Amino acid sequence: MDEVFTFANDEFGKYPFDGYSFIQGGDGGMEYPMATLITGNRTFISLVGVCVHELMHSWFQTVLGSNESLYPWMDEGFASFAASEVMNHLKEKKLIPGEYEKDPHLKSITRYIIFALSGREEPLTTHADHFTTNSAYGTAAYTKGEVLLEQLRYILGDKTFDEAMLRYFNTWKFKHPNANDFFRVMEKQSGLELDWFREYFVNTIYTIDYEIEGISGNNIVLKNNGLVPMPLDITVTAKNGKIYNYYIPQEIMRGEKNEETCFNNFKIMSDWAWTDPTYQLKIDQDEKDIISIEIDSSKRMADINRFNNIWPRMEKTSR
Ligand SMILES: [Zn+2]
């Protein structure tokens, strides 16, 4: 647990109390300030998993104290995001079994997409008590809440995002932030406008779907089939083995992300106006020198159809 607190204090802000208790009892796991009730009779990894999730509520439920009924995604979603980070760190340190992943949130993105495509999704703005199904509540609060932070990491860049999360905790601890307060900190730290992202991703169930329509010469035609605009990371792999990154900001962001670790040395291209269905991307390479082109090679963007993110288009074997 020492390792958990060290890592979480570093990533999400300092836990301000002297103690924390894990108490056997209740059903499943239920978080309280400075303590959690947890049921036994679990595998070791399940016990660690539930302990870490409930503990991470100390940051988002106990200390920040956002309204869990009005904004369940700011509590369950952020705790889920933090727990995925902590569990991945413990795997990297070989303290628990399981494989370290470059990005521990990709599974949540897949779960969110499957549910979004099922047609049963409800927007994050729904009051926790008023979802029509438990699965719509669970997916919105836990899964899409985690995916929302992953989308912000993609939009802001990973370094700026980490700084923004710390700033959110330090600015709003013990002050009960609402959704406005959270997004305002994200905007201040990044210098980007993010109201559009909130309008789409929090207030609606619109989805993201970008496509590479084709390339001729050095001109790539990109298409937006979805209703949520996003900035695009484009990776071009050349036949000589070199990789070229291009970054297309959304005009409504009024800025660009900074360099980050998982998408680096990118060339900033002109803005994509969200009202335009297509975009012509002029790259420095020629079609004949290219092996492949991919939208968001980090796979962080919650694009509901990844099949059309890649050129040349592969045979569709599974969804
Ligand atoms: Zn929880």
Side-chain angles (χ1 to χ4, degrees), residues 57-244:
H57 275 297
S58 292
W59 277 254
F60 303 102
Q61 181 221 34
T62 308
V63 176
L64 282 160
S66 52
N67 187 318
E68 298 161 65
S69 304
L70 278 176
Y71 321 108
W73 53 277
M74 292 177 73
D75 178 28
E76 293 297 354
F78 291 10
S80 298
F81 181 92
S84 296
E85 290 283 319
V86 170
M87 292 296 282
N88 203 36
H89 175 74
L90 295 177
K91 287 173 191 164
E92 188 179 18
K93 292 265 164 189
K94 307 248 178 273
L95 291 166
I96 55 171
E99 198 130 322
Y100 169 76
E101 295 162 289
K102 223 175 101 193
D103 187 331
H105 311 291
L106 300 187
K107 284 190 214 94
S108 289
I109 295 179
T110 305
R111 278 203 302 275
Y112 151 70
I113 289 170
I114 289 169
F115 198 75
L117 293 173
S118 78
R120 292 185 294 138
E121 197 194 349
E122 294 173 51
L124 292 186
T125 43
T126 312
H127 184 289
D129 293 341
H130 299 157
F131 283 88
T132 51
T133 62
N134 279 337
S135 53
Y137 161 73
T139 307
Y142 292 74
T143 313
K144 198 179 180 184
E146 176 170 356
V147 171
L148 178 142
L149 289 187
E150 179 81 338
Q151 302 312 288
L152 285 171
R153 172 139 72 179
Y154 170 79
I155 295 167
L156 270 57
D158 52 14
K159 289 178 203 157
T160 306
F161 171 80
D162 287 349
E163 291 160 10
M165 285 303 283
L166 268 179
R167 181 165 170 178
Y168 170 55
F169 183 85
N170 289 324
T171 306
W172 284 101
K173 55 187 171 188
F174 304 113
K175 290 180 186 163
H176 309 291
N178 60 30
N180 282 335
D181 302 321
F182 169 72
F183 276 102
R184 191 68 194 113
V185 172
M186 295 288 123
E187 290 190 324
K188 278 185 177 169
Q189 191 63 33
S190 64
L192 301 174
E193 281 203 28
L194 297 169
D195 54 344
W196 58 276
F197 174 72
R198 181 185 165 184
E199 297 297 339
Y200 289 106
F201 214 72
V202 178
N203 299 3
T204 77
I205 53 167
Y206 292 170
T207 52
I208 305 164
D209 180 16
Y210 279 92
E211 171 181 353
I212 300 174
E213 204 171 57
I215 175 169
S216 79
N218 74 334
N219 188 47
I220 301 172
V221 181
L222 300 166
K223 216 173 136 208
N224 183 8
N225 299 322
L227 289 170
V228 180
M230 287 290 265
L232 293 190
D233 293 354
I234 310 283
T235 298
V236 174
T237 305
K239 285 182 179 158
N240 64 11
K242 287 210 173 104
I243 285 174
Y244 303 92

